[in-house]
Amino acid sequence: MLFKRLLALLILTVALTSSAAAQDDTTADVSQTAAPAPQLGWPREYTGEDYKLVVYQPQIRSWQDYLRMEADAAVMVTPPGQEDPVPGAIAIKARTDAHMDTRTVFIHDLELGAVRFPAVEGTTEEQLKDIVRSIFPKEPVAASLDRLLAMMERSSVRVREVELNDDPPKIFVSTTPAVLVNVDGEAAWVPVGDKAVGLSFAANTNWDLFKYESEKKKAKHKTYYLRLEKSWLGADDLAGPWGPAGKLPKPFKKLPMSPNFK
């Protein structure tokens, strides 16, 4: 009889201990699920009585010793009684604490700097600024360490400045068959040789372009010649007008039989 009572007491004790342990486990699970993980993504939305502020991912300007941060962020404010949000920008200063184990940065001591709404002005702009200042978070916010580091890497890239010429190019129009002779800058004339006296060719074009200077006693006469397949064009000025060359000057018969003139 005594043995049965002891056995029943032991069974009751084990049951109570198991029940208490189960309650402790349940309480632990509830406490863990009751604390939500900090929001790390962007954009962040903050609402007031009848207005809304949306803050987009900040662009870091500086992060001194990874303790003091200065950044800019785009915002959208929906004023009271309106459906369309108004875009703007804010400047932020804050202190930061990085938790390496969770790869999380806690941003605290937030200071709101300049607030700008370029699309509006006057009273409306001041109202929007007041909304941002009133609803902007005072408590610490969390952000992803990896995202912030990635932004720092992008902001450290310096794009080399280049001068761009966006003037439209010249458009040449011809209503008759024509060719476009490209000369790299001013024509660079090179004498053909001693035998072809007065004849020189343009070295900075891929066309067979020649200049002939006759040595007449009265005056020097300059004439330009351009080979077009098996015919020749001529002009008194390099800019034209060009036409059939007719009979070529005698120095053309004395062109060297080199690969350049063959």
Side-chain angles (χ1 to χ4, degrees):
M1 189 68 175
L2 180 61
F3 176 75
K4 289 183 178 180
R5 288 182 179 181
L6 290 175
L7 181 60
L9 181 61
L10 178 61
I11 293 173
L12 179 61
T13 303
V14 171
L16 291 174
T17 303
S18 301
S19 175
Q23 289 180 359
D24 290 341
D25 292 342
T26 303
T27 303
D29 292 340
V30 170
S31 63
Q32 290 177 2
T33 56
Q39 182 183 5
L40 303 180
W42 301 90
R44 308 281 177 92
E45 184 175 307
Y46 305 94
T47 56
E49 295 180 357
D50 52 357
Y51 47 79
K52 181 172 66 174
L53 168 67
V54 179
V55 181
Y56 292 87
Q57 181 166 313
Q59 303 299 311
I60 298 176
R61 283 190 278 111
S62 65
W63 197 358
Q64 183 180 358
D65 300 326
Y66 298 98
L67 296 174
R68 297 175 180 270
M69 179 185 294
E70 294 186 12
D72 299 304
V75 297
M76 298 287 280
V77 176
T78 305
Q82 295 188 20
E83 296 182 357
D84 297 330
V86 181
I90 59 175
I92 305 169
K93 290 183 180 180
R95 294 178 179 270
T96 60
D97 290 324
H99 291 215
M100 300 301 295
D101 52 343
T102 60
R103 309 295 293 175
T104 304
V105 176
F106 289 93
I107 306 172
H108 56 91
D109 294 336
L110 288 158
E111 295 181 16
L112 186 61
V115 181
R116 304 181 301 276
F117 290 92
V120 295
E121 58 184 10
T123 305
T124 303
E125 184 180 14
E126 293 302 321
Q127 291 176 346
L128 294 173
K129 290 181 179 180
D130 291 340
I131 291 176
V132 173
R133 296 189 183 101
S134 64
I135 200 174
F136 192 76
K138 308 294 189 300
E139 67 279 1
V141 297
S144 167
L145 174 61
D146 297 310
R147 284 193 180 190
L148 295 180
L149 292 177
M151 283 191 292
M152 285 293 294
E153 292 177 1
R154 289 198 297 270
S155 63
S156 63
V157 176
R158 295 292 180 263
V159 179
R160 183 170 59 91
E161 295 184 358
V162 295
E163 293 184 2
L164 298 178
N165 183 6
D166 55 1
D167 294 337
K170 291 183 178 179
I171 299 176
F172 299 94
V173 178
S174 176
T175 57
T176 58
V179 295
L180 180 63
V181 179
N182 290 312
V183 180
D184 188 9
E186 295 292 330
W189 300 107
V190 179
V192 173
D194 295 336
K195 294 183 179 180
V197 178
L199 194 62
S200 57
F201 68 95
N204 53 346
T205 181
N206 59 344
W207 290 83
D208 292 330
L209 180 61
F210 292 85
K211 179 176 70 172
Y212 175 62
E213 300 180 69
S214 62
E215 295 185 345
K216 293 182 179 180
K217 294 182 179 180
K218 293 183 179 180
K220 287 187 177 181
H221 178 67
K222 296 180 181 179
T223 304
Y224 299 92
Y225 295 89
L226 175 68
R227 187 179 70 86
L228 182 60
E229 297 181 356
K230 295 184 179 182
S231 61
W232 288 87
L233 301 176
D236 291 332
D237 188 277
L238 189 59
W242 290 79
K247 187 177 180 180
L248 297 178
K250 292 182 179 180
F252 275 91
K253 296 181 180 180
K254 298 180 180 181
L255 290 174
M257 293 300 294
S258 63
N260 287 336
F261 299 103
K262 186 177 182 180

